[in-house]
Amino acid sequence: MRSLVMAGMLWACAFGALAANTVDVAPFIKRDGFQQLKISPHGEYYAASALMDDRSALVVIRRADNKPVAHFNLGANKYVNGFWWVTPTKVMVTMAEKIGALENPAPTANLYTVDAGTGGVDILVGQDVQAMSTGTHIETKKQEYVAAELIGPIPGDPDDVLVLITPFNTNPYDVVNNTAGNLSRVDRMNVNSGKRVTVVRAPVHNVRFLLDHHGAVRMAHGWDMSGDHKLFYRAGDGADWRELNDERASGHDEIPLGFSADDRTAYLQVEQADGPDAIVAMDLATGKRTKLFQDDDSDPFFVIEDQAHAPVGVGLMDGKPRTVFFAGDGSEERLYRSLEGAFAGSAVEVTSTTDDGRLALVEVSSDRNPGDFYLFDTVSKKAALVLSRRDWLDPEKMSEKRPFAFKARDGMLLHGYVTLPAGAGDKRLPMVVLPHGGPFGVAEEWTFDDETQMLAAAGYAVLQLDYRGSGNHGRAYQQAGARDWGGRMQDDLTDATRWVFDQGIADPQRMCIYGASYGAYAALMGAAREPSLYRCAAGYVGVYDLPLLVSSATAGGSSGKAWRREWIGEAAALGERSPTTLASRIKVPGFLARSAERR
């Protein structure tokens, strides 16, 4: 939908020499047939989140004959948020709802199950327990105003899982109420009855728990009222929490990834003073830490686990995706290298496997391919196509997304992508600069993107940049953008635009800038600060008055206000960095849009 809005913006700007080719917008705004696909533990079923016009559904398909055997949706504006096989026949589901003018659905707080064997649907936890009729009355269930999330299964127990329970009245920003009573907790829950027993309470707010290979809760990572991240560890069930890292004291964050198969080593993703995050192995008996891997410019992007769910490698968004392995017996690395060879030029990721490890679902994608799912037999070494996200698109007719790196005016090395219109070459092209929103911690990716592909189909090159403040390149790269809206962050976009022009790719007389949210702010600031560089500017659901944003924002309570002061700045100093103040400097056509409530 946003692509259609963006197309209207660019055409509405009517910027003469940039007149675009005629483009059929429909293939780019048509929804994917499905979002995710996972194979069941015994390989009998697939579970898929299927998209429809105003909702999505969880569909379970029998693999033997490809027939649907179960279906679950909650009606208009309700979407599948996540799902996991918790038994060989049962899927656990969380949902999200699109409310008012929200562009993206917001997660709801209930946990549901869908049974592949019976087709039955049930609700186990949440505020809608009494409102949803399942046909089965279970006395152990009650309506609760809590948010529930799956943490993971318990090895050797086919009926129970561990879930994260967070009371709705939790106020992580109110130090007065910062007591154990309103912190999140871990409950052991029966997946058939929904009956729960509390296992442990969190030592910090906004928590994510990590289980060892026996199902014991061993690590907790979250952040406190000040927004600083903390990592805690405990020796096992019944043991007390012990703090391993406090970001405010250490100056870096440490994120737990998992445990070795013998539970003697914890793998952490640790921010570094310089460069990207590193993978560190921590001996739990001695506390000794060993750095296993650090890339030269990219953070770990996803974790690769072995059959026992121990971390053995990571995927990197290093310009184009690649994988690196640091542990294990080498079987996962051999699998990935085999798949990467078979699907050369694409990114591959094993998304789920059967319990015996024989069958693996593999997602294959690229800058020109939204994604295909293959079933790979690790014994016969054969792969069969299961589903394509968008079978109506031909990857051969899509446009190349080319990674680049260059040095900004102050010498900082920056990373980004230029998408080149298929068949148009790479010289003196009309170009759209597309700064991402966020802005902090967000990064561009070598993946299929509707906006860039639609613009490329219209004949435009598209520039996307990880300006300072962006993610994926380490703590220092991100921290370099703090309190710098409209400053060096904006200079980065200007320098990248000129760099692409210097390479001969873009025609300096045919360049415009467009973005959403922070990207809209950057678009208008670009037109104000560089009135002769761009030929038009367009903003969608943008932020244009920084003093108003900082002084009037209440979301997040005191913690949210502290974050805005630390990352955006004090209201009194932001007037000269606001498009509302600099509007008289904008000399080119502009177009602003905001979203409207849809029902």
Side-chain angles (χ1 to χ4, degrees), residues 43-61:
E44 296 178 272
Y45 305 99
Y46 297 119
S49 49
L51 281 166
M52 294 172 278
D53 287 340
D54 61 353
R55 70 197 69 185
S56 69
L58 192 285
V59 180
V60 180
I61 303 166

Side-chain angles (χ1 to χ4, degrees), residues 484-507:
D484 202 35
W485 285 45
R488 291 173 299 173
M489 293 169 73
Q490 196 68 42
D491 291 340
D492 292 345
L493 287 163
T494 300
D495 293 350
T497 302
R498 289 178 170 150
W499 182 86
V500 172
F501 163 61
D502 290 341
Q503 306 308 302
I505 296 172
D507 182 344

